[in-house]
Amino acid sequence: MDDNGFSFNIAVVGLGLIGGSYAKALRELKPKKLYGIDLNESSLLKAKKMGIIDEGFTDGSVILKEADLVIIALYPEDTVKFIKDNVCNFKDGAVITDTCGVKQMIVEEALSFLPETVEFVGAHPMAGKESQGFDTASKDLFKNSNYIITPHKENSEKSINLIEKMAKAIGCKSVVRVDIEEHDNIISYTSQLPHVIAVALMDSDICKDAIDLFIGGSFRDATRVAAINEKLWTQLFSLNSDRLVYEIEKFQEALNKIKRAIKSQDKSDLEDIFKDAAQRKRMML
Amino acid sequence: MDDNGFSFNIAVVGLGLIGGSYAKALRELKPKKLYGIDLNESSLLKAKKMGIIDEGFTDGSVILKEADLVIIALYPEDTVKFIKDNVCNFKDGAVITDTCGVKQMIVEEALSFLPETVEFVGAHPMAGKESQGFDTASKDLFKNSNYIITPHKENSEKSINLIEKMAKAIGCKSVVRVDIEEHDNIISYTSQLPHVIAVALMDSDICKDAIDLFIGGSFRDATRVAAINEKLWTQLFSLNSDRLVYEIEKFQEALNKIKRAIKSQDKSDLEDIFKDAAQRKRMML
């Protein structure tokens, strides 16, 4: 690794929206070599033809031995499987990172498989959009987004710094270190719960002809993420199920409190609940 | 009423965001006279100075006798109170309309007070923004929005047509007639329930330092309307409480179904729920 900071070999695993965006953004940093690993050969060919990757591979057996930094941009279960399947393929001294939206299970599984000669740094880039595949990937996907690194006790400062430096170099605004459990707690509230709600809101048979005329901003906003990627979110929810169930139940209590006030026509109680919510929302803006 | 269609006297009651926007938009239609009625004298003065209204009044006792069309843009309870207090002041043959987000109670109350010499046409302009007061009112507020008229069996075609024509003239895209009960049923799902959810979502003590970093689009969207106007929404919820409680309970069942699937780690069940939601959402887009 010389002075420009990125003249080493990088492998990106999975060239979908997220991995493809990493590859496109990392290409700008002029790494020594940039490799793509994906089961989809046409994505590999396209990426090579565009000059995004130097070479593409359908598995890690050959090329991981050359990779100093490995970015795994797969769904959670596939991330764990890729690590497990390639335990003997990683280069000594390599740093491996991931992009999963839940961290405790991923980090625990990764550490349980990996030898001491390679280091795993868990990370969650808070970037995305509602599309899939290499074609929708963009080198600007990470611009101004937050990048959360969840160090564990065996991580070295040097490896964490490497991921931090990379996250900043691809455009992230804030790169922060957060405790693994705290990450999974907060994410269950700020991301998983709103997705559960959006899905639950669509489960209604009020779909009469005139309904479009009645849909204002509040409904459209609350259901924006209801066109959910079912495989990804099933995995994310399952891997964080205890925390998510806890947050759903807290939300259910809050909902019951409002329902009781509406049912009992307790106007001063309702006004107090609304004032509290409005105040919290304004503080968050 | 001559050929240009609006050369008669109009009174707008309440010069807040909605009423102020009516006044500004109606001024463009060159009515014979445009009057404003508001308790707030400074709004009246401002509107008169800007040439929006011809004259302002702090109550309806004098001027309602001159008004052929009265648009009441007050909160629901104040709308009913205004009608009740001015039963003897309306001009014979006048058409009175309102702007409330719930209709059954408003229409029933209005009809119970009003003499046969005036006609009440219930309406719900689906326009608004998260601000209050005359200063934030705009003649363009209704542009491209939906305007719902909820006729009752005593309405004449002529009066309904008048409100339709006015709604189109101030810029509404769709002006439709909907059964009163259907309006209140659908609105409890498409507008009131998302507001309840946004408020319930804010009722959490996860407000640690790092939370801003974890807030993505899904949370921001689902809570956009949480900075709620507590007096208005308390009235809207209270006046439609049975229907809203019914919708909350249907939503609670949907939420429980998802929670059970997460708890039991039933992945195929979760994927099915997500596929259904995604399909409904895509059909709605």
Side-chain angles (χ1 to χ4, degrees):
Chain A
M1 305 187 189
D2 78 6
D3 274 351
N4 96 351
F6 295 98
S7 63
F8 48 82
N9 296 335
I10 305 178
V12 176
V13 184
L15 291 182
L17 168 67
I18 302 295
S21 297
Y22 269 97
K24 288 173 182 180
L26 289 167
R27 171 48 81 199
E28 311 268 306
L29 307 181
K30 302 188 169 52
K32 194 166 156 195
K33 293 282 180 188
L34 183 57
Y35 303 117
I37 301 176
D38 200 301
L39 292 173
N40 182 333
E41 292 188 52
S42 82
S43 295
L44 293 171
L45 274 171
K46 206 178 289 177
K48 193 180 171 187
K49 215 169 169 182
M50 289 170 71
I52 303 295
I53 59 170
D54 292 294
E55 202 60 62
F57 302 85
T58 54
D59 65 45
S61 59
V62 176
I63 202 59
L64 284 176
K65 273 279 170 270
E66 310 292 325
D68 302 291
L69 172 62
V70 181
I71 297 160
I72 307 177
L74 300 174
Y75 287 6
E77 290 176 5
D78 297 324
T79 297
V80 172
K81 186 172 186 307
F82 184 87
I83 293 171
K84 197 174 165 185
D85 291 349
N86 287 282
V87 159
C88 302
N89 295 330
F90 295 109
K91 182 181 176 181
D92 281 358
V95 174
I96 302 166
T97 189
D98 76 317
T99 64
C100 295
V102 292
K103 301 266 54 99
Q104 186 171 2
M105 292 293 282
I106 301 292
V107 175
E108 280 175 6
E109 294 271 317
L111 295 186
S112 74
F113 297 125
L114 286 171
E116 283 182 20
T117 50
V118 301
E119 190 166 338
F120 181 79
V121 181
H124 179 193
M126 299 281 289
K129 53 182 176 180
E130 274 140 89
S131 63
Q132 294 175 45
F134 181 75
D135 290 336
T136 67
S138 156
K139 72 179 170 61
D140 295 323
L141 187 73
F142 305 101
K143 288 272 186 314
N144 293 317
S145 66
N146 297 321
Y147 204 97
I148 297 167
I149 298 173
T150 54
H152 55 82
K153 60 183 191 298
E154 284 163 53
N155 277 139
S156 67
E157 193 61 29
K158 191 181 155 201
S159 299
I160 299 172
N161 283 341
L162 173 68
I163 303 302
E164 278 182 351
K165 194 171 66 171
M166 179 203 58
K168 280 180 190 153
I170 62 175
C172 293
K173 184 181 60 179
S174 300
V175 185
V176 292
R177 303 179 188 194
V178 176
D179 174 78
I180 294 174
E181 293 203 6
E182 190 182 357
H183 172 278
D184 285 3
N185 281 336
I186 300 180
I187 213 74
S188 68
Y189 169 61
T190 59
S191 169
Q192 299 191 327
L193 179 59
H195 279 80
V196 168
I197 289 169
V199 167
L201 247 177
M202 295 308 296
D203 189 2
S204 169
D205 48 12
I206 299 194
C207 277
K208 296 167 192 168
D209 291 345
I211 192 173
D212 281 356
L213 298 169
F214 291 83
I215 291 180
S218 61
F219 187 84
R220 211 178 299 281
D221 283 348
T223 59
R224 192 182 56 82
V225 295
I228 196 165
N229 174 333
E230 77 268 9
K231 291 216 179 299
L232 174 60
W233 285 91
T234 293
Q235 292 187 13
L236 290 170
F237 285 4
S238 301
L239 292 172
N240 205 29
S241 58
D242 289 350
R243 291 186 178 93
L244 179 53
V245 166
Y246 174 77
E247 288 300 332
I248 292 173
E249 290 178 348
K250 280 206 306 178
F251 174 75
Q252 287 177 317
E253 282 169 31
L255 204 54
N256 272 325
K257 196 168 76 180
I258 300 172
K259 188 175 79 172
R260 275 195 304 271
I262 295 170
K263 242 179 168 164
S264 66
Q265 299 274 350
D266 186 335
K267 290 187 188 177
S268 83
D269 203 13
L270 264 185
E271 285 191 16
D272 287 345
I273 292 170
F274 293 166
K275 266 187 232 169
D276 276 358
Q279 194 179 8
R280 281 168 193 261
K281 177 64 180 170
R282 288 194 198 101
M283 277 169 56
M284 202 172 265
L285 288 175
Chain B
M1 304 188 190
D2 78 7
D3 273 349
N4 96 351
F6 295 98
S7 63
F8 46 82
N9 295 336
I10 304 178
V12 175
V13 185
L15 291 182
L17 168 68
I18 302 295
S21 298
Y22 269 97
K24 288 174 182 180
L26 290 167
R27 170 49 79 199
E28 311 269 306
L29 307 180
K30 300 190 175 47
K32 193 165 156 199
K33 292 282 180 187
L34 183 55
Y35 302 116
I37 300 176
D38 201 301
L39 292 174
N40 183 334
E41 293 188 48
S42 82
S43 296
L44 295 172
L45 274 171
K46 207 179 287 177
K48 194 181 171 188
K49 213 167 169 182
M50 289 169 71
I52 304 295
I53 58 171
D54 293 295
E55 203 60 62
F57 301 86
T58 53
D59 65 48
S61 57
V62 176
I63 203 60
L64 284 177
K65 274 276 170 271
E66 311 291 324
D68 302 291
L69 172 62
V70 181
I71 297 161
I72 308 177
L74 299 175
Y75 287 7
E77 290 177 4
D78 296 325
T79 297
V80 172
K81 185 173 186 306
F82 184 86
I83 293 171
K84 197 173 164 187
D85 290 350
N86 287 282
V87 159
C88 302
N89 296 329
F90 295 110
K91 181 179 176 181
D92 281 359
V95 174
I96 302 167
T97 189
D98 75 316
T99 63
C100 295
V102 292
K103 301 266 53 97
Q104 186 169 1
M105 292 292 283
I106 300 292
V107 176
E108 280 174 5
E109 295 271 317
L111 294 186
S112 75
F113 297 125
L114 287 172
E116 282 181 19
T117 50
V118 300
E119 190 167 338
F120 181 80
V121 181
H124 179 192
M126 300 281 288
K129 53 183 177 179
E130 275 140 87
S131 63
Q132 294 174 46
F134 181 76
D135 291 336
T136 68
S138 156
K139 72 178 169 63
D140 296 324
L141 188 73
F142 305 100
K143 286 271 183 323
N144 293 316
S145 65
N146 297 320
Y147 204 95
I148 298 167
I149 297 173
T150 55
H152 55 83
K153 60 183 190 303
E154 286 164 51
N155 277 139
S156 66
E157 192 62 26
K158 189 181 156 205
S159 299
I160 299 173
N161 283 340
L162 174 67
I163 302 301
E164 278 181 351
K165 195 173 66 168
M166 180 203 58
K168 280 180 191 152
I170 62 173
C172 292
K173 185 180 63 184
S174 301
V175 184
V176 293
R177 301 179 189 196
V178 177
D179 174 78
I180 294 174
E181 292 202 10
E182 190 183 357
H183 172 279
D184 285 3
N185 281 335
I186 300 181
I187 214 72
S188 68
Y189 170 61
T190 59
S191 168
Q192 298 190 328
L193 180 58
H195 280 79
V196 168
I197 289 169
V199 167
L201 247 176
M202 295 309 296
D203 189 3
S204 169
D205 47 11
I206 299 194
C207 278
K208 296 167 191 167
D209 290 344
I211 193 173
D212 280 357
L213 298 168
F214 290 84
I215 293 180
S218 61
F219 186 85
R220 210 178 300 279
D221 284 347
T223 60
R224 190 182 56 83
V225 293
I228 196 166
N229 174 332
E230 76 268 8
K231 293 218 178 295
L232 174 60
W233 286 90
T234 294
Q235 294 187 12
L236 290 170
F237 286 3
S238 300
L239 291 172
N240 205 29
S241 58
D242 289 351
R243 294 184 175 95
L244 179 53
V245 166
Y246 174 77
E247 289 300 332
I248 292 173
E249 289 178 348
K250 282 206 306 178
F251 174 76
Q252 286 178 317
E253 282 169 31
L255 203 56
N256 272 326
K257 195 167 77 179
I258 302 173
K259 188 175 81 172
R260 276 195 303 272
I262 295 169
K263 240 178 168 165
S264 66
Q265 299 275 347
D266 187 336
K267 289 186 189 179
S268 82
D269 203 13
L270 263 185
E271 285 190 18
D272 287 345
I273 293 169
F274 293 165
K275 267 186 231 168
D276 277 357
Q279 196 180 3
R280 282 168 192 261
K281 177 65 181 170
R282 286 191 200 102
M283 276 170 56
M284 200 171 269
L285 286 176

